Amino acid sequence: MNEGTVDVYELEKLRGQEENDGNKSTRGDSQPEKYRILLEPALVGAMIAINLCQTSLQNFYLRTACTVDLGNSLEVCAKGVGEEFRQAEAASQIVVSGVNVSRSFIGSLIATVVLLFVGPWSDCSGRRKPLLILPLVGMSVMTTGVILMLIFPGASTVQVLYAVQIPMSLGGNFGLLLAAAFSHIGDVCYATGRDVTRTMGTHRAAIQIAHVVGAVGGPLLYRYLGFFGVFPLVLFLQLSSLMYVIFAVKDVNVNTENKVSVFNWKLPFAAISCLIRPREDYKRIIVMLMLVVGLGDRMLLSAEVLLAYMYYRYKFHWDDVMFGSFLAYKNVISFIGTLLILSVLKRRLRLADETVGMLSCVSYVLATSGLIAASTTLCVFILPLVGIISQGSQVVQRPILNKQIQPNEQGKIYSVMGAFESAIQTMSSPLYSLLYTKTVANLPDAWLLPGIVLAFVQFSSYVFAKKLSQKSSLNGTAHVDTEKSTEKTTEKEPNLQSKVSNP
């Protein structure tokens, strides 16, 4: 088959036939496979590495801006006190935020292009392993670059930030790793009969635990060992995760007949057309509403990762250890909130997914409004309890979306949604950085206000989606009733004819 004239739709059709023919025997009469480790080591290693270096990277950015770009001494930048340190800190944050405007735009643009090609290619070829390897390679190259810049100092803030961003973006960022991981898990569960909800839940729990370990350990390592205690360990974890994927992970449904190139220009168009194609009832509208919700979640998350450390450091005078401890505490509360959503709101109260999404938006608005009004550390530590189910939107968005699409569409739709999320981050991150740069000195809480507006937009999307789901259910019930009445009529007709023929 010629790569230049390949028909993407034919490739997808062939792939679907191959999966159906090859997996009937495994999914049919065989018993579900017992639990075994899949991608937990790789995801845990990568997540711990990301959180170990999060605050150290921010400290590296701020120290570079303070010493190289602003020309201050290391003593003033690291150990200054009083008004002198506060002025140097504000000026350094303005420099870093200003560079983040262009850095975030270019980095997100690169990641968007990568996702639009590699996601549909993975669906056509059935290969998930290259998508797992790509982001881990990008992370390892990024950390190697940071270590080299620490050994040979003198790089400006622009050079440092781009040296970190470009390798990560070319690797698709951590979002590609997660998308590829859950696609691989879906393939394994489909082929072996494993329970997909429990398997994905186990991986999510492992990621949350790794997040807490990294958030606590990173600042402590930096305090006692410095940069050279953090980044070599981060590189070791990333390379270990990469080696695990290369040697321990195997693709499940490789389609050897479809020789499609990852650079085929039809791949992005096939994924986009799958997203917007007509669907029965109101399913296409609900898909678009969940796209809006997903874009809002991505904007809120990217803004928090980009600005939260500098915000807490400036407004509440926290150091990296305090911030890491708060992140760990917040993630523990978030984990408890997820259990609360699944066990109480969903299982016992049997609330609809859309209702849970609405409650999570309300919880987020209350917690964020409280953060704007907070003035003490105690109040900040109380607020995660107010927003304990604020992550509910991320829990229910995918189940709502899954009800509207076919199983063989998930790879294409999630890849194009990931690309849209990266594209929206291309616009939102620079705007957030610009807003924080202009307001940090006088109104540091201003960057939280767009998040409250986004939460109201998400709330409205869930309300509309619930109404459409109810209408679809009523239409489905009416359709079933019509079929039943038709069956009764056809059953009565022979009896009437027999009576006429045999009086």
Side-chain angles (χ1 to χ4, degrees), residues 219-398:
L220 292 175
L221 279 174
Y222 174 74
R223 170 165 290 189
Y224 293 106
L225 300 177
F227 291 126
F228 289 101
V230 175
F231 290 109
L233 178 59
V234 169
L235 182 60
F236 171 77
L237 290 171
Q238 291 167 343
L239 291 176
S240 299
S241 300
L242 179 61
M243 293 300 104
Y244 178 85
V245 171
I246 292 174
F247 294 107
V249 176
K250 295 182 179 180
D251 283 316
V252 178
N253 297 315
V254 178
N255 193 347
T256 56
E257 296 182 7
N258 293 336
K259 304 298 183 181
V260 60
S261 171
V262 71
F263 301 107
N264 190 287
W265 62 271
K266 293 183 179 180
L267 293 175
F269 296 100
I272 293 173
S273 63
C274 181
L275 177 69
I276 63 176
R277 74 170 182 83
R279 301 176 187 274
E280 61 180 0
D281 294 332
Y282 304 98
K283 289 185 176 181
R284 180 166 63 172
I285 299 177
I286 296 176
V287 168
M288 295 303 166
L289 290 173
M290 291 304 101
L291 175 60
V292 172
V293 172
L295 294 178
D297 286 336
R298 182 61 175 266
M299 290 175 65
L300 296 175
L301 180 61
S302 63
E304 185 174 354
V305 171
L306 190 66
L307 300 174
Y309 176 63
M310 293 190 294
Y311 168 74
Y312 287 107
R313 177 169 167 161
Y314 183 80
K315 181 177 179 181
F316 299 102
H317 311 294
W318 287 3
D319 58 13
D320 49 1
V321 175
M322 176 63 77
F323 180 73
S325 301
F326 175 71
L327 277 185
Y329 164 76
K330 186 177 180 180
N331 278 279
V332 170
I333 298 299
S334 178
F335 179 74
I336 296 173
T338 301
L339 296 180
L340 181 65
I341 291 170
L342 297 176
S343 60
V344 178
L345 299 184
K346 292 294 298 178
R347 186 172 181 179
R348 296 188 65 86
L349 299 180
R350 299 184 181 277
L351 297 181
D353 290 335
E354 295 86 356
T355 304
V356 175
M358 288 185 277
L359 292 175
S360 72
C361 293
V362 173
S363 178
Y364 175 84
V365 169
L366 292 176
T368 306
S369 301
L371 183 59
I372 294 175
S375 58
T376 63
T377 297
L378 178 61
C379 292
V380 176
F381 273 80
I382 292 174
L383 290 173
L385 296 174
V386 178
I388 189 170
I389 61 170
S390 59
Q391 78 285 357
S393 176
Q394 302 173 25
V395 174
V396 300
Q397 181 223 352
R398 181 168 291 187

Side-chain angles (χ1 to χ4, degrees), residues 473-487:
S473 299
L474 292 175
N475 291 340
T477 303
H479 180 66
V480 171
D481 291 341
T482 303
E483 289 182 345
K484 288 182 177 179
S485 63
T486 304
E487 291 175 358

Side-chain angles (χ1 to χ4, degrees), residues 52-70:
L52 278 177
C53 70
Q54 182 177 353
T55 54
S56 295
L57 277 176
Q58 295 287 345
N59 288 332
F60 184 38
Y61 300 155
L62 293 171
R63 193 186 75 172
T64 301
C66 188
T67 56
V68 177
D69 293 78
L70 299 176

